[in-house]
Amino acid sequence: QVQLVESGGGLVQAGGSLRLSCAASGRTFSNYAMGWFRQAPGKEREFVGSISKTGGSTYYEDSVKGRFTISRDNAKNTVYLQMNSLKPEDTAVYYCVAKRGIATIQNYEYDYWGQGTQVTVSS
């Protein structure tokens, strides 16, 4: 079992920045690829980005490329999502996810999910 706890969400004005953190516990963190998904009201959950076990490879959904950055610190068992130039359409609950092996964009392939953290971007 892997437990994931997100933090860092909140209310920010358009153009602002937030950094989400996800603390993992329970298993060897470096064995897991990590990712972020988000879900806006009335919409399906969507992939935001992922990072490989070592942190050497990242992948982003097109709408966040160049604005969001995923990183991880395996010594601290933590993954981060730095969000810059935020837009109102980024408003959603953001979820941290983990899976063994290679990172993917498919939500059903991730075995572990955090409880989510709300990000609200005002215009």
Side-chain angles (χ1 to χ4, degrees), residues 45-109:
R45 196 167 292 184
E46 67 171 356
F47 172 80
V48 174
S50 63
I51 188 165
S52 63
K53 292 182 287 186
T54 63
S57 177
T58 55
Y59 186 79
Y60 300 95
E61 191 269 331
D62 285 347
S63 68
V64 307
K65 282 181 183 176
R67 300 189 298 123
F68 290 12
T69 303
I70 297 176
S71 61
R72 65 190 294 164
D73 185 337
N74 284 351
K76 295 183 177 180
N77 290 358
T78 302
V79 63
Y80 305 97
L81 179 64
Q82 178 67 44
M83 305 185 292
N84 299 328
S85 302
L86 282 161
K87 305 175 181 180
E89 51 263 43
D90 294 319
T91 295
V93 177
Y94 283 71
Y95 297 91
C96 173
V97 296
K99 69 179 294 291
R100 295 183 69 92
I102 299 172
T104 76
I105 66 171
Q106 302 295 343
N107 58 6
Y108 58 80
E109 295 199 35

